[in-house]
Amino acid sequence: MPFINVKQLAGRTEEQKAEIARELTEAYARITGVKPENIWVAIEELPRENWAIAGTTFAEWDRQARG
């Protein structure tokens, strides 16, 4: 069974996450021929203070942008 793991910053709506799961499932099934019922999708949301780029968390980027 294919398992697709999406990691993203928290803040998307329930509807957006459902659409992400649907679209990823449909694309994987179309490309590989795997039945959609055999495709698992997990969406993990991380708070902005738990994700960093170039040593700076997104929470720090937010504070810097606000001045």
Side-chain angles (χ1 to χ4, degrees):
M1 284 190 192
F3 182 87
I4 301 168
N5 189 2
V6 177
K7 293 181 187 266
Q8 64 183 26
L9 292 173
R12 305 313 187 284
T13 66
E14 185 175 337
E15 293 79 15
Q16 288 172 317
K17 290 183 273 188
E19 186 173 351
I20 290 166
R22 274 193 306 276
E23 295 283 340
L24 287 173
T25 299
E26 288 174 13
Y28 195 96
R30 178 177 41 78
I31 293 165
T32 65
V34 173
K35 293 180 182 179
E37 57 268 22
N38 293 327
I39 300 168
W40 294 26
V41 176
I43 298 174
E44 297 183 64
E45 293 192 306
L46 297 168
R48 295 181 80 75
E49 62 271 10
N50 289 2
W51 199 324
I53 295 178
T56 304
T57 67
F58 279 95
E60 290 175 296
W61 286 104
D62 293 343
R63 285 191 291 277
Q64 292 172 7
R66 281 184 250 137

